Amino acid sequence: LVFQGQYPKALEYGQRAVELDPAQLDCWLFLGMAQMCTTWCLGDRELLTRALQSIERAVAIAPHYASIHHNIGVMLLLTGDLDRAEYH
């Protein structure tokens, strides 16, 4: 949905997924990526904070999953938090 430019629908589905199964890693990843892509494409900086929170939930579920750390590192770079970005 995100790659088709359907940002509101992607955000809606991502939110619904984490409501249905908050312990599922893929739900948090999808929501975080939808929020991050919406931030980039639509300039909604408020969503970047929520995207970070979603990806941090994914890190809590699977702390050794490399792509999560990549995603959170990119988001932290966007916020200017270079120290935390370097960690990830």
Side-chain angles (χ1 to χ4, degrees), residues 30-77:
F30 179 83
L31 179 59
M33 294 305 295
Q35 291 165 326
M36 184 171 68
C37 290
T38 302
T39 296
W40 283 340
C41 297
L42 301 181
D44 186 343
R45 298 285 296 175
E46 179 184 316
L47 274 177
L48 185 57
T49 300
R50 291 192 297 186
L52 278 167
Q53 293 168 345
S54 296
I55 298 296
E56 286 170 346
R57 289 287 301 265
V59 169
I61 294 168
H64 301 293
Y65 194 51
S67 71
I68 298 171
H69 289 279
H70 168 78
N71 292 334
I72 201 167
V74 169
M75 285 187 243
L76 289 166
L77 282 173

